Amino acid sequence: MISLSPTPSLFFGSPYRAGDDPNQGPGPVENIPHGPVHIWCGDPEQPAGEDMGNFYSAGRDPLFYAHHANIDRMWAVWKGLDPRRHTDLTDPDWLDASFLFYDEDPKLVRIRVRDVLDMDRLRYRYQDVPTPWTSARPVVTTQRVRSATSSLLTPTARAAGAKEAARFPVTLDSPTRVTVKRPVSARRSRAESKLAKEEVLIIDGIQVDMDVAVKFDVFVNAGEDHAAVGPGGRELAGSFVNVPHRHKHDKRGRAIKTTLRLALNEQLEDLGAEGDDSVVVTLVPRQGKGKVKIGSVKIEIMD
């Protein structure tokens, strides 16, 4: 929520406007921590993963409301971390997007996004508690990998870590590694990194059936053995999660195509890789192995 969300566009995800293809790409707060909690709390014994593990039944689980209230709280925390940069979007397409609900009467009412952004107007506030984790930095757990070293690895060492992606698209049925070139304008010194635009790792063309639970992790410069990096390791750049959208009476598997964007500036600074020509990206399937395809992996510069 901090290192992956330096700007509103990265926090909220890609714009989704009328006429666009759905699933333009969620922000990190949607992927982590929102998605995994749904899957972890679902009932795997049920044919459709009922309760929190399935979109259609999640609201029936009492935990749903506590979970989503906490996501809303994290939104409020994020805005307070850097009031100058961490702001809500001002695009009218977002502010005027509306939803229909039944109120307590019950009467059908329409609510716009702009109507629910001010907690003071909504007459609630979250308890002000210490957040020492906001100043913590992840620990570098492996040796930094330069692109030149990949050619020096023995076949045995390569097999022990992850397979090399020969050509995209690839089916993510096992850990897959690819060397990604950085834009020339992105290479910088440590001092320059403080003033740089955001460098973003883009996992594009992610294809998965809507009714399949999928999670894969993304590592940057994790070395030969990504398994040595724990959940708090600096090499872990982020994750992609798909919460199943299915019903036990609907057996049709509808495919989605989406994008994962991960901010890199802070991570590359911690890894000491600001001046490198490329980074080594490792994709590790955690759930739904072999059920997701990756179209491409690249790095772009964003404002």
Side-chain angles (χ1 to χ4, degrees), residues 3 17 20 26 31 68 77 85 107 119-120 124 152 168 183 212 214 216-217 225 243 273 290:
S3 61
R17 308 180 194 276
D20 288 347
N31 271 312
H68 277 255
V77 171
R85 297 185 73 194
K107 179 182 177 183
M119 290 194 302
D120 289 336
Y124 76 90
L152 302 178
F168 286 95
V212 175
V214 164
F216 66 81
D217 292 335
D225 186 9
V243 178

Side-chain angles (χ1 to χ4, degrees), residues 65-77 79 88 111-128:
Y65 301 97
H67 175 42
H68 277 255
N70 190 47
I71 295 297
D72 184 65
R73 183 190 67 87
M74 295 180 71
W75 181 358
V77 171
K79 290 168 68 173
D88 289 329
I111 297 177
R112 298 175 302 171
V113 169
R114 67 167 71 245
D115 298 329
V116 293
L117 295 178
D118 188 343
M119 290 194 302
D120 289 336
R121 290 182 59 193
L122 296 173
R123 300 191 300 277
Y124 76 90
R125 184 174 297 277
Y126 293 108
Q127 182 180 3
D128 187 13

Side-chain angles (χ1 to χ4, degrees), residues 168-172 203-206 216 283 292-297:
F168 286 95
V170 298
T171 297
L172 204 58
I203 316 297
D204 204 8
I206 302 172
F216 66 81
L283 308 175
V292 58
K293 290 184 179 180
I294 308 297
S296 64
V297 180

